[in-house]
Amino acid sequence: MSQHGQALTAGAVVFRLVRPIPDFLPQGGPLSGNAFRPSKGDVEQAAERQQPVRVSVWDRAHTTTAQGMAFRAGVEVVVFDLQVDDVCQLGANLGEPRLRVVHDELDEPERSRPGAEGHSGIEGLDQAPGEPKLAWKERLRKLALLARSAP
Amino acid sequence: MTQPAHRFSATYLRVLPSPFAATPYEQDMLRLESIVARLHERVTEGHLTAEQARVVRSLWEQVLRLEPRPRLPVIGKHEDGFFYVSWNYPGMGLSADIEADGRVSWFFKDDTTGVLLGTEGEPEPTLPPLFFTLARLLRQP
């Protein structure tokens, strides 16, 4: 069982439930970087918990797509996969050591639901203090290029 | 309230002589044109503001005037309420984030040259001519 905040292991695959679903997404086209841009709610929640800002994803080793979608019941989503190794490599290429994927334990009652143990978060997607906005958006764009539409 | 009739751009009608002969690109173009043309209908349901709908439509029409067969953007709304039009392809990215009041932040990156341009500070009242100059690079291969 992974511990809260522990980095996912090499070879892991995570999926992101993108919402709101884009009004238009070209067939096979890459996502926008905005699909990985933390919301103000993500930033506020991180501040409350005194932990890094995390963008929600799910570890395929512990959560099925259906289980993940059940946590977003009633909300339309599109599903995209990311290789954790690719995320780490991107962080290295961009010189952004914050960029990593970690286990993110849910609170009760969600923690007891099927598939909850796979809840994870991508760190390093918020704009760091003093970081130029364009550099931040470029990081989001590059990450979006790594995501693949899930079958 | 009477809504304007749905219409496709003249450019698009030139691109696609018959919907029955559509390639995946042409099918996507048809879908995109329909979505952009009907964005105003989603204002009343609160999906976006009238200003956002106006800016998206204007942006798309200007791009089509400059490049009749452009790569197709992702269009959507972020959880925080801004609307975006984003071309994110290997080698190049161009995007506009549109605030509820119609102000925009734009972004451009050419991976080959490393050129990085766009709005670094507060959103701007309108997209600059440079944005549309860069949009000429968006031709569908």
Side-chain angles (χ1 to χ4, degrees), chain A:
Chain A
M1 183 66 138
S2 301
Q3 291 186 336
H4 187 65
Q6 182 180 343
L8 268 60
T9 54
V13 178
V14 294
F15 65 91
R16 173 147 174 80
L17 303 173
V18 177
R19 62 183 168 87
I21 60 169
D23 290 63
F24 176 78
L25 184 63
Q27 294 177 48
L31 287 168
S32 161
N34 284 325
F36 293 95
R37 178 168 165 168
S39 67
K40 289 174 183 167
D42 292 328
V43 175
E44 288 168 4
Q45 186 181 54
E48 283 170 15
R49 296 182 173 189
Q50 297 184 308
Q51 67 180 27
V53 175
R54 292 176 184 149
V55 169
S56 178
V57 289
W58 300 84
D59 183 350
R60 285 215 173 273
H62 298 287
T63 310
T64 65
T65 303
Q67 286 172 335
M69 290 176 78
F71 283 88
R72 303 282 181 262
V75 179
E76 282 189 301
V77 294
V78 287
V79 187
F80 276 75
D81 280 348
L82 269 174
Q83 303 278 341
V84 169
D85 292 348
D86 289 348
V87 178
C88 295
Q89 186 61 54
L90 177 63
N93 293 346
L94 297 176
E96 176 50 275
R98 296 186 306 144
L99 194 53
R100 62 186 198 137
V101 189
V102 302
H103 179 67
D104 187 68
E105 193 170 87
L106 293 168
D107 295 332
E108 291 292 359
E110 285 81 12
R111 190 190 305 172
S112 302
R113 293 175 55 179
E117 62 270 30
H119 189 253
S120 306
I122 308 176
E123 295 181 353
L125 296 178
D126 52 322
Q127 186 179 11
E131 181 182 30
K133 188 188 284 185
L134 295 176
W136 169 49
K137 286 189 171 182
E138 172 62 357
R139 184 161 71 253
L140 298 174
R141 179 182 89 87
K142 283 280 167 63
L143 183 71
L145 285 173
L146 298 174
R148 296 285 173 266
S149 181

